[in-house]
Amino acid sequence: MRPRDVIRTKRDHGELSPEQIDAFVAAAAHLDGSGWERYHLTALLMAIYLNGLSPAETAYLTVAMANSGRRLDLSDIAGPKVDKHSSGGVGDKTSLILGPLAAACGVIVPMMSGRGLGHTGGTLDKLEAIAGFRVRLSEEEFRTALRRVGLGMIGPTADMAPADRTLYALRDVTATVESIPLITASILSKKLAEGIDGLVMDVKCGRGAFMQTRPEAQALAASLLRVGTANGLRMRALITAMDVPLGCAVGHTLEVIEAIEVLKSRGPHDVRELSILLATRMVELAGLGDAAQAEQKVRAALASGAGLDVFRRCIEQQGGDARVIDDYHRLPTAPYTAAVVAPRRGFLTQMNAQDVGIATLLLGGGRQRADDTIDPAVGILCRAKPGEFVSAGATIYEVHYRDVQRWHEARERLEGSFTIGETPPPDTPLVLEELV
Ligand code: URA
């Protein structure tokens, strides 16, 4: 089967056959001289981006990608296994909070996360701000973490969903990320390979998300639910607003601190409530209570410090320096801080999450090329959020930086990222919709 014929099928709006999808996935997983080159893969990705995939093609692609590598069988570990995944946002550190909270309630959480994609942050990069934290565990180490702590936070191992690793990297640099079938297959192939029983999806919607409009986010959530449940996963999907950064901190060290603060029953209200809601859904999916009972368990785990204790044990189990929980100076710190201030008094009416994400990237807190290393110390603290009244000269952003040139680039982006008006903006809900 010639790659060009497969590409032509999709280019001309045809339906890919199972054999054609298998050939594409095998090539992505191995690139072994079967006639497929990277340029064939990217051409087909673009054809899919432009012309879409039918539900049947999407489902087939997802399972083929999950089967492109090893699929974990965790049935020997007692307890319900439930994970959560987000479609990508700015300042979203909820995984660091809800994983420990759900585990403290008795859920086994085999959390396999990703790195930052585009202007959005990734859980793995955040965890690596903690000295020594190993996100690469052998399968045996991962199983031990799940047995001992109830939580393991890792990246996809080399032999799990290898087709996604190739395709994810190619999509990131070829403007083919924002595709519903490709996002569905990317997320769910990893989740199916992880051996879970249930999955809570947080589909982000708005300026800082890959799905910018509500209908797009609904279509992504429906696609994820359709393919996930057809493959035996118990699922819930929430559509949550991502116009404004979640919480105040954006950037790795700053986000880890904010997550720990929430686990200490402090921290911003929006991060805390979204983490509690998502953890509640995980507890429900695990069959450990109805909605009210699950929420009560999660709130109790937060108030008692049980969630914080799980996070501490998770860090220790994965080789990290758990003393960061009591001493934030043990995290990498940027040498300089500067402020972006309000040019006049009034209500902060808008703050563009995408600009804040890109400014963090410009500071060195993200990858502009696949092989870039991340500076975990840099980042942005939002000192005011939409709805607040600010005086002229008040700090809107506290910027943590290392390099003056990069700070200037970030400042330019940040100065255009917010608006100030005479009247407060309307209240907008964080959770827009929930789908079962
Ligand atoms: N997260 C993923 O794992 N894949 C995507 O394509 C987007 C978000």
Side-chain angles (χ1 to χ4, degrees):
M1 180 182 317
R2 294 184 315 172
R4 80 171 77 155
D5 297 326
V6 182
I7 296 165
R8 185 180 295 115
T9 303
K10 192 42 72 182
R11 184 199 68 186
D12 296 344
H13 300 268
E15 177 110 5
L16 297 174
S17 67
E19 295 72 31
Q20 288 178 316
I21 294 176
D22 283 337
F24 168 57
V25 171
H30 308 299
L31 276 174
D32 58 358
S34 58
W36 284 78
E37 302 292 342
R38 277 174 203 274
Y39 49 78
H40 292 121
L41 297 175
T42 52
L44 185 53
L45 285 171
M46 184 56 84
I48 293 173
Y49 176 90
L50 293 171
N51 295 334
L53 292 180
S54 68
E57 288 173 301
T58 306
Y60 194 89
L61 175 66
T62 306
V63 176
M65 283 170 61
N67 291 340
S68 70
R70 197 169 148 56
R71 286 179 71 158
L72 284 186
D73 177 0
L74 299 177
S75 53
D76 58 319
I77 299 176
K81 285 116 213 148
V82 180
D83 192 5
K84 165 264 174 189
H85 199 84
S86 147
S87 62
V90 178
D92 182 2
K93 66 285 292 173
T94 54
S95 291
L96 306 189
I97 303 160
L98 59 85
L101 286 177
C105 295
V107 183
I108 303 292
V109 186
M111 189 175 279
M112 196 178 296
S113 306
R115 298 200 176 272
L117 186 64
H119 65 279
T120 67
T123 299
L124 297 183
D125 298 322
K126 290 171 204 178
L127 289 168
E128 283 180 345
I130 301 170
F133 196 105
R134 290 169 54 226
V135 297
R136 283 171 192 271
L137 299 185
S138 69
E139 188 180 323
E140 223 21 71
E141 289 171 322
F142 188 45
R143 288 175 180 280
T144 305
L146 293 176
R147 281 203 186 90
R148 287 200 187 143
V149 186
L151 169 66
M153 301 179 102
I154 61 166
T157 60
D159 55 357
M160 286 174 70
D164 182 58
R165 195 160 325 104
T166 307
L167 297 178
Y168 195 86
L170 292 176
R171 287 167 57 216
D172 198 19
V173 292
T174 57
T176 48
V177 171
E178 302 90 338
S179 150
I180 288 172
L182 293 177
I183 295 178
T184 302
S186 168
I187 291 177
L188 289 181
S189 61
K190 288 177 289 215
K191 297 295 142 185
L192 292 177
E194 199 176 83
I196 49 175
D197 309 305
L199 175 66
V200 177
M201 272 304 312
D202 182 4
V203 177
K204 300 287 187 195
C205 171
R207 282 189 300 256
F210 296 127
M211 297 293 114
Q212 304 227 332
T213 67
R214 185 85 169 260
E216 284 172 337
Q218 285 167 330
L220 175 58
S223 170
L224 287 160
L225 285 175
R226 190 184 320 111
V227 177
T229 49
N231 283 285
L233 290 182
R234 292 200 289 274
M235 283 191 73
R236 288 291 180 86
L238 278 78
I239 299 179
T240 66
M242 183 32 73
D243 291 309
V244 171
L246 189 66
C248 301
V250 183
H252 302 85
T253 285
L254 299 175
E255 291 194 45
V256 170
I257 294 172
E258 190 166 279
I260 296 172
E261 282 292 294
V262 173
L263 285 170
K264 290 178 179 171
S265 295
R266 301 192 291 248
H269 180 261
D270 60 347
V271 183
R272 186 172 59 242
E273 290 306 310
L274 183 57
S275 303
I276 289 172
L277 178 59
L278 293 167
T280 297
R281 294 295 174 263
M282 292 171 76
V283 173
E284 270 185 87
L285 279 187
L288 299 174
D290 62 23
Q293 291 163 333
E295 181 177 345
Q296 197 247 328
K297 282 187 184 182
V298 172
R299 289 195 185 274
L302 182 64
S304 67
L308 184 66
D309 185 51
V310 171
F311 193 43
R312 191 188 302 274
R313 289 194 287 125
C314 167
I315 297 173
E316 281 165 0
Q317 182 68 31
Q318 297 195 214
D321 180 1
R323 292 173 300 177
V324 298
I325 287 184
D326 306 304
D327 180 2
Y328 299 149
H329 293 107
R330 291 183 177 278
L331 289 161
T333 313
Y336 310 109
T337 57
V340 174
V341 301
R344 64 190 180 92
R345 72 197 288 273
F347 288 97
L348 191 58
T349 46
Q350 277 195 45
M351 176 177 277
N352 185 327
Q354 187 178 34
D355 285 329
V356 179
I358 291 173
T360 308
L361 207 82
L362 294 172
L363 291 170
R367 294 180 188 81
Q368 309 208 42
R369 293 162 30 134
D371 53 357
D372 280 351
T373 50
I374 278 186
D375 184 346
V378 300
I380 295 164
L381 277 179
C382 306
R383 288 294 187 195
K385 295 286 294 277
E388 286 177 40
F389 187 85
V390 293
S391 329
T395 300
I396 304 292
Y397 300 115
E398 179 183 299
V399 180
H400 294 231
Y401 70 98
R402 193 180 296 282
D403 178 295
V404 178
Q405 181 58 34
R406 284 174 177 263
W407 146 238
H408 288 313
E409 288 170 25
R411 179 170 64 184
E412 208 170 300
R413 192 91 198 185
L414 289 172
E415 279 173 349
S417 72
F418 63 93
T419 52
I420 292 179
E422 295 308 317
T423 48
D427 265 349
T428 44
L430 181 58
V431 178
L432 302 173
E433 201 172 320
E434 201 169 338
L435 293 85
V436 183

